Amino acid sequence: MRIEKIMRRRVVTVHPTTSIGDALKLLRGNRIRHLPVVDQERLVGIISDRDLRDALPSTLLAHDDDHTVLQKPVADIMQRQVITAHPLDFIEDAAVQIYEHKVGSLPVVEGNRLVGIITESDLFNSLIELFGVNKPSSHIEVEVDDRVGMLAEVSQVMREAQVNVCSVVVFPGDQPGRKNLVFRVQTIDPRPVMELLRSKGFAVVAPGEGGGALSRNARLIYSADYTRYYFHDEHPFNQRRLLLTYDLMSAYGLINDADILPPRLATDEELALIHDPRYIQFVRQQGESDTELPLAAGYGIGTEDVPFFPQMHEAAALIVGGTLQAVDAVMNGQAEHAFNPAGGLHHAFRGRASGFCIYNDCSVAIAYLRQHWDARILYIDTDAHHGDGVQWAFYDDPNVLTVSLHETGKYLFPGTGSLTERGEGSGYGYSVNIPLEAFTEDQSFLDIYHELIPKLARGFKPDVIVTQNGCDAHTYDPLTHLSCSMRIYQEIPRLAHRLAHEWCQGRWIAVGGGGYDIWRVVPRAWTLLWSEMTDQPLADGPLPEAWRSRWQPLSELELPTRLFDDPFPPIPRRAEITEKNRITLERALMYAPIETDS
C-alpha cells in the first residue's frame, strides 16, 4: 500500500510569520500535534506540540514575558531539517522513517510542494486494515514447517472449507524450522475450519479448544473519557457512576490491564445504520454551538431530559463505539464476553434523542451484527424503563428477538412496552414485553425472568446474546417504583451467561443502562455482572474499606457496607402484585417464539 492511499490531504499549516500563540490555538482547535510550516506552498519547516511547550514559560509561574513569547513567529522555533515522504512511497518505508527518527509525522511532498501528511495514527490504522482486524472475522493460527508451499497448502484447506480469507500474516515460529500463519477468516464460527485443518494434519495453535485465544474470557470496554457524556451537575444521568464502578471492581481485584479495551469513536456510517444522517449532523453542529440551535426541539435536544452540551456528538459516539468494540471483541474471537458499562442508551430513536439518550448504542450494535455477521440476536433488557428505541428499530425483523422486563408504563417513562406490542409483519411475535407492576419485588421478578428467558432462547436459538443491564429496578432508585434488591443483579447475568454458553458458543455482549442511585446501587450491580462474566463469583460480605473511604466523603448518602442488601420490609400488596405479574407472563408467552412440547 502506498502513502497516497492513506495520507491526509487537507493539511492545517502555518506561515513562518505566524505567531506561536496562533499556532498553539490551531493545534488545540484541530486536535492535532504537528503543523507544517509553508511559504508559497513550499515546505520550509515543521513545529510540534512539544516544540510549542518547550518555547512557552512554565505554567506554574507568572512571567512578564508570557505575551512576548506568544507573539514571536514560529520561524524562531520550527524544525528546518524536515524528514518527508513522497505519495508513491510504500507505507512500510514511512513506518521505518518514523521509527528510526522518532518523529510523530511525515509531511508528504511532491515536487517540493506539500500535498499531505501522514501520522503515527494513520500508520497504525493502516496496519489494522492490512491485518484485517477491522473486518468482521475470526482468528485462526496454524504452525507449519518453514518451507516453500506451506501457505498454499493451508490456503487449499480454507478453500475446501469455503471460507473467505481476509488476511494472512506470517511470522517465525517458536521452534527452529517452523513458522506461524495467522489467518483472518469471514466466519462467525471457526471450529469447522479448525477441525478440517486438524484432520489434514496441521497444528492449529489458536484459538484453543475453549473457542478463543484468550488470556481471560471477557473484556471490559472502559475509559474515563466516558465521563464527557455530561449534561450538568443536577442531571440524574451522572457518569461518575462509571468511576465508582471501575474503582469497586479494582478494589475487589477483579480486573487487570489485559482485561481492558479502550472504546473508539463510532463512525458516521456506523451511526447511520440506525440514525438519520441529518440527525447525526445536527448533533455534531449543536455540540459545537454555545447556544441552542433553532431545530433542537424537533430533534429532542435542549429538553430537560437531553440538554445540549459541548462536543455532545463525540461523547455519544464514543459510547456507541465502545459497544461496537465489545461486539468486535466477541465476534472476532478475542473474547467470549464483553461488557461496556457506559452503553445501554436504549431510548434514542432514528432521528430524535430521548430519555437521556442521544445515540442508541444497543440498536447500532444489533444492526452492526446483522450487517456484518447475519447473526440472530436475542436482546434482553432488564432496565426498569421499557427499551422502546431498540424495540421499534427491529419491530419487523424476525432475526432480532427483543425482550423487555420493565415497570409498567402506566406511571413511568416512556409509557410504552405493553403486552400488545408484539412486532409487525414478519417480525410479529419477536417483540416480547413484560410490564411489571409497580413495587414488584425480587422473587416475582426472578420467577418471571427464569421462566421466560430460557424458553425464548430455546425457541429462538440465537447466535449471540446482547443484554441491557440497567439497574434502576432497585428499591433505592429515585426515578422508578420497583422494589428489588441487589439479589436480582446477581441472578440476571448468571442466567444470561449460562444461556450464552448453551446456545451461542459463549457469545455475550453486555451494556449498562439506567441506574440513578450512583452511590449505593450501580457500582455493586455492575461489579456483580463483571464478576459473573469473568467467573470470579463474589459472596456477600463487607465492601472493600478502601473503596468506601475513598468515595464516602463525596456522597451525601451513606454508602452500603456490604455487597448485598439486608432484607427490605415486604410490600403489603405482595400477593396481588405477584399474581398480576404471573398473568402478564402467561399472556406474553401466548405469542412468543417459544418451543412447544410436541
Side-chain angles (χ1 to χ4, degrees):
M1 185 183 293
R2 297 186 185 274
I3 286 176
E4 64 180 353
K5 295 290 186 181
I6 65 168
M7 70 182 189
R8 306 183 189 194
R9 298 176 184 275
R10 298 181 63 181
V11 186
V12 180
T13 64
V14 292
H15 189 268
T17 60
T18 302
S19 71
I20 290 174
D22 288 341
L24 187 62
K25 290 177 183 177
L26 282 173
L27 282 177
R28 291 174 175 170
N30 292 279
R31 297 185 178 182
I32 55 178
R33 294 175 53 204
H34 302 87
L35 281 173
V37 184
V38 175
D39 188 3
Q40 296 181 350
E41 296 189 350
R42 186 173 62 88
L43 181 70
V44 296
I46 191 168
I47 57 172
S48 68
D49 53 352
R50 178 173 296 180
D51 297 326
L52 289 170
R53 285 197 304 269
D54 291 345
L56 293 173
S58 169
T59 57
L60 300 178
L61 301 172
H63 290 263
D64 294 336
D65 57 349
D66 281 2
H67 182 73
T68 303
V69 171
L70 291 173
Q71 293 302 313
K72 287 183 177 180
V74 296
D76 288 0
I77 63 168
M78 71 182 186
Q79 303 293 325
R80 298 176 184 272
Q81 300 297 320
V82 185
I83 302 165
T84 63
H86 188 274
L88 298 181
D89 288 345
F90 292 105
I91 63 168
E92 54 264 40
D93 296 329
V96 170
Q97 290 273 55
I98 284 178
Y99 175 77
E100 289 185 345
H101 295 281
K102 295 181 173 56
V103 294
S105 69
L106 292 178
V108 184
V109 175
E110 185 175 19
N112 210 28
R113 185 172 62 89
L114 182 70
V115 295
I117 193 168
I118 184 170
T119 68
E120 290 175 302
S121 296
D122 299 326
L123 290 172
F124 180 74
N125 292 336
S126 299
L127 182 67
I128 289 174
E129 291 181 13
L130 288 171
F131 281 7
V133 179
N134 63 318
K135 297 177 182 177
S137 56
S138 296
H139 169 114
I140 298 178
E141 187 173 334
V142 185
E143 187 182 52
V144 297
D145 290 334
D146 188 8
R147 59 179 174 83
V148 175
M150 293 308 300
L151 176 58
E153 291 183 28
V154 179
S155 297
Q156 180 59 37
V157 179
M158 300 291 181
R159 180 177 181 180
E160 187 177 335
Q162 297 184 328
V163 294
N164 185 40
V165 176
C166 301
S167 69
V168 184
V169 178
V170 183
F171 62 90
D174 293 333
Q175 303 297 325
R178 303 285 283 177
K179 62 184 176 184
N180 287 38
L181 310 178
V182 181
F183 291 83
R184 303 294 305 191
V185 294
Q186 283 186 320
T187 178
I188 192 172
D189 185 0
R191 292 174 302 168
V193 186
M194 293 158 55
E195 291 171 6
L196 184 58
L197 284 164
R198 290 190 179 108
S199 73
K200 302 285 186 180
F202 292 105
V204 179
V205 296
E209 295 293 341
L214 312 173
S215 58
R216 292 277 286 269
N217 65 343
R219 294 291 181 269
L220 182 70
I221 317 301
Y222 179 79
S223 168
D225 289 343
Y226 278 148
T227 57
R228 294 176 183 173
Y229 193 94
Y230 171 77
F231 294 113
H232 55 74
D233 284 345
E234 304 304 318
H235 198 282
F237 192 95
N238 187 335
Q239 291 291 57
R240 177 180 280 185
R241 61 190 186 154
L242 301 178
L243 305 180
L244 283 147
T245 300
Y246 184 83
D247 196 40
L248 184 58
M249 292 176 182
S250 300
Y252 270 114
L254 298 178
I255 52 177
N256 58 48
D257 290 344
D259 297 327
I260 309 300
L261 283 177
R264 63 173 177 82
L265 284 174
T267 66
D268 284 8
E269 291 75 16
E270 290 166 340
L271 294 171
L273 291 172
I274 288 295
H275 295 290
D276 189 318
R278 293 170 296 182
Y279 173 64
I280 298 168
Q281 182 60 24
F282 179 83
V283 172
R284 178 182 280 108
Q285 292 172 346
Q286 181 63 83
E288 295 171 352
S289 174
D290 294 332
T291 58
E292 183 177 314
L293 298 178
L295 297 177
Y299 286 115
I301 293 173
T303 64
E304 184 175 346
D305 280 357
V306 189
F308 72 91
F309 59 90
Q311 304 301 311
M312 60 192 303
H313 165 80
E314 290 77 10
L318 187 68
I319 292 175
V320 178
T323 302
L324 295 182
Q325 190 86 304
V327 170
D328 284 334
V330 169
M331 302 305 287
N332 291 334
Q334 186 178 0
E336 289 181 309
H337 324 308
F339 177 32
N340 178 22
L345 305 182
H346 59 170
H347 291 307
F349 297 105
R350 173 171 170 75
R352 180 166 55 87
S354 177
F356 313 156
C357 307
I358 297 169
Y359 296 138
N360 193 319
D361 65 293
C362 305
S363 294
V364 173
I366 292 170
Y368 187 77
L369 282 160
R370 294 288 304 132
Q371 180 188 62
H372 292 288
W373 286 277
D374 194 28
R376 288 170 62 79
I377 299 106
L378 172 57
Y379 172 78
I380 305 168
D381 190 322
T382 50
D383 195 290
H385 300 86
H386 175 232
D388 54 342
V390 183
Q391 172 182 289
W392 302 125
F394 302 98
Y395 206 53
D396 60 353
D397 190 342
N399 294 297
V400 180
L401 174 56
T402 62
V403 187
S404 180
L405 283 78
H406 52 270
E407 181 184 333
T408 173
K410 293 177 185 176
Y411 314 107
L412 190 70
F413 177 93
T416 55
S418 72
L419 278 169
T420 58
E421 294 169 19
R422 302 188 180 108
E424 64 184 10
S426 59
Y428 186 81
Y430 291 88
S431 292
V432 178
N433 286 295
I434 305 292
L436 298 168
E437 292 295 309
F439 307 110
T440 291
E441 296 167 288
D442 288 348
Q443 197 59 53
S444 179
F445 187 105
L446 291 175
D447 285 348
I448 289 173
Y449 180 74
H450 282 295
E451 182 172 345
L452 174 69
I453 303 303
K455 287 182 177 180
L456 292 174
R458 188 161 54 248
F460 184 64
K461 298 178 177 60
D463 295 315
V464 58
I465 292 175
V466 177
T467 60
Q468 197 271 16
N469 298 271
C471 49
D472 45 1
H474 195 281
T475 192
Y476 288 159
D477 195 273
L479 301 189
T480 67
H481 315 97
L482 298 177
S483 298
C484 296
S485 77
M486 203 53 58
R487 177 185 166 202
I488 72 168
Y489 298 115
Q490 183 179 55
E491 292 296 320
I492 288 171
R494 179 177 290 169
L495 178 60
H497 193 182
R498 177 172 68 80
L499 294 175
H501 283 288
E502 185 175 342
W503 296 105
C504 311
Q505 291 82 51
R507 290 186 288 270
W508 172 27
I509 297 148
V511 294
Y516 307 101
D517 188 322
I518 70 168
W519 303 100
R520 298 179 295 177
V521 176
V522 179
R524 292 189 293 163
W526 290 347
T527 295
L528 282 168
L529 189 157
W530 179 248
S531 76
E532 172 63 37
M533 185 175 271
T534 54
D535 297 309
Q536 301 177 90
L538 294 175
D540 190 22
L543 290 174
E545 184 55 37
W547 180 82
R548 294 191 77 254
S549 62
R550 189 154 42 243
W551 292 102
Q552 184 61 72
L554 302 176
S555 173
E556 295 180 358
L557 298 169
E558 180 68 25
L559 295 183
T561 59
R562 302 183 68 83
L563 181 58
F564 288 90
D565 301 306
D566 292 331
F568 295 124
I571 296 298
R573 295 174 48 243
R574 174 181 288 176
E576 176 188 345
I577 291 169
T578 299
E579 179 61 21
K580 285 185 176 180
N581 287 339
R582 168 59 53 180
I583 293 171
T584 296
L585 173 64
E586 292 173 355
R587 292 176 61 193
L589 288 172
M590 291 173 62
Y591 301 92
I594 62 174
E595 196 171 78
T596 57
D597 296 330
S598 55

